[in-house]
Amino acid sequence: MNLCSCTIVLKNNHTMTFDNVEQTLGIIDEHGVNNIDNITIATSDGKNTLSYNNLSIEESIESLMSL
């Protein structure tokens, strides 16, 4: 699976979208888990695109690290 995009919504409703795992993890680290409201991850296997938006912040981080 490859990352297509990752959208992070902060508690102050600021939204950021990235297409790079390292950038995304850096932003999560910079803002801290407590300041993040939601993370939506879109991945692709070359044929299909899957979206994950009901994961906990911790599960989202684990998913990103496995890409």
Side-chain angles (χ1 to χ4, degrees), residues 53 57 59 61:
N53 58 6
I57 304 301
E59 290 172 321
I61 293 168

Side-chain angles (χ1 to χ4, degrees), residues 8-11 16 24-39 57-58 61:
I8 299 172
V9 180
L10 300 177
K11 299 266 183 191
M16 299 171 280
T24 304
L25 292 172
I27 291 298
I28 293 169
D29 187 49
E30 179 181 326
H31 288 279
V33 173
N34 294 329
N35 292 319
I36 296 173
D37 189 45
N38 185 23
I39 298 176
I57 304 301
E58 290 80 13
I61 293 168

Side-chain angles (χ1 to χ4, degrees), residues 35-54:
N35 292 319
I36 296 173
D37 189 45
N38 185 23
I39 298 176
T40 301
I41 301 169
T43 62
S44 173
D45 64 2
K47 295 181 183 179
N48 301 306
T49 300
L50 301 171
S51 182
Y52 303 92
N53 58 6
N54 292 320

